[in-house]
Amino acid sequence: MNRKIWISSPHMGGEELSYIKEAFDTNWIAPLGPNVDGFEQDIAAFLGRGVHVAALSSGTAALHLALILLGVQAGDEVICQSKTFSASANPIAYQGATPVFVDSESSTWNMSPELLEEAVQDRIAKGKKPKAIMIVHLYGMPAQMDRIMEIADRYDIPVVEDAAEALGSSYKGQPLGTFGALSVLSFNGNKIITTSGGGALVSANEEWIKKARFLATQARDAAPHYQHSHIGYNYRMSNICAGIGRGQMEILPERIVQRRANFFFYQEAFAAMTEIKFHIAPHADYYSNHWLTAILLEDAEEKGINRERIRLALEKENIEARPLCKPLHLQPVFATAPFYGDGSSECLFEKGLCLPSGSNLTKEDLARVVKAVKGYFAS
Ligand SMILES: *Cc1c(COP(=O)(O)O)cnc(C)c1O
């Protein structure tokens, strides 16, 4: 059997173990310590724009704290991109609030500004102004941020930016993860860099980040005994995991180059195959880290080609590929949530496939993927 090719696997840089060894040598084996502080500073320096960063146990925890900081409570509504991973919307439910899902537009595959405005107007007309807008940059592709921020500002609704997949991407030169009132990064094992598991909350508002650190460490008031006047969470990042993160930050620029190179390699390899369309940046203002390379199978069905058959053909070659994420308004768990859409994200789900995209794929790995896809088309 051929060696397994994963869709996106961890890729260490080399210095991670030295940061972990330092943690052991100094006995900082805890959810605080010099690696946590250092990792936060590294992320803040990478993003620039004077942002502050809280390193947390996961991206999901960061999204949850973002909603808490914005005062989202039971009975509230939060607008959320439908085409995303369930972790974007789950924290809305943790708060007892209702997600209001909005469909994608076809250029970036992210939230449609027109449908966003329609949703905001209709929710206000129905008597409830949304408490926040959760925007996602799927597979690293920037959403139409000018138009989305303009709508959010005009209706005075804060934006939570789920940039879990978009570290290293930018829009008009501004790094993703710096647009939201609060923005979120993830360092899960499959992301562009990893801490094995982890996340971060990012904001220009230092008070919010301080409050996030407070809530993430069980909301302990300043007192010698355990004194609490808020409900707290155990959401801080471990100093061991943050050591991995510091090592990963050293090679993040290389990882961005490598992920993007995968995308361009596939694009060239499949250039002659008119059925395969790519998730291309619509304009030079959009700079994607191409965390995952996603393709759409257009006008292929009549030839008996569809994304599921290609996925199975790859699986037979021990190559992992995955359909684009299923829109959340179609998920059983969110079946009763309001939805504003035109079928775009459902259509993307039916036609789309994510190809192996790790920064650690070799030329031979990529060639194997291309051969398997081309072999399927030729058969
Ligand atoms: C990975 C991911 C998350 C969740 O991050 P975790 O660190 O796994 O909790 C949230 N949103 C999106 C879009 C993601 O890809």
Side-chain angles (χ1 to χ4, degrees), residues 175-196:
L176 302 189
T178 65
F179 282 87
L182 290 150
S183 302
V184 167
L185 302 172
S186 168
F187 310 108
N188 203 333
N190 60 345
K191 297 303 198 295
I192 190 159
I193 60 166
T194 182
T195 59
S196 75

Side-chain angles (χ1 to χ4, degrees), residues 56-63 83-89 91 134-139 162-166 184-191 195-200 291 325:
L56 300 169
S57 55
S58 70
T60 311
L63 289 166
K83 192 149 194 69
T84 181
F85 180 53
S86 61
S88 303
M134 175 88 71
I135 184 82
V136 186
H137 310 290
L138 203 65
Y139 309 134
D162 181 348
E165 303 178 357
V184 167
L185 302 172
S186 168
F187 310 108
N188 203 333
N190 60 345
K191 297 303 198 295
T195 59
S196 75
W291 169 60
C325 45

Side-chain angles (χ1 to χ4, degrees), residues 318-371:
N318 213 17
I319 297 168
E320 184 186 31
R322 194 177 302 131
L324 302 196
C325 45
K326 181 171 172 173
L328 295 183
H329 72 276
L330 298 176
Q331 296 287 359
V333 72
F334 295 122
T336 60
F339 170 63
Y340 295 82
D342 58 12
S344 295
S345 61
E346 188 169 355
C347 176
L348 289 166
F349 171 60
E350 277 157 14
K351 292 181 181 172
L353 191 69
C354 295
L355 298 176
S357 303
S359 50
N360 51 3
L361 294 176
T362 63
K363 283 254 178 304
E364 292 71 38
D365 292 336
L366 290 165
R368 254 177 74 197
V369 178
V370 169
K371 188 166 167 232

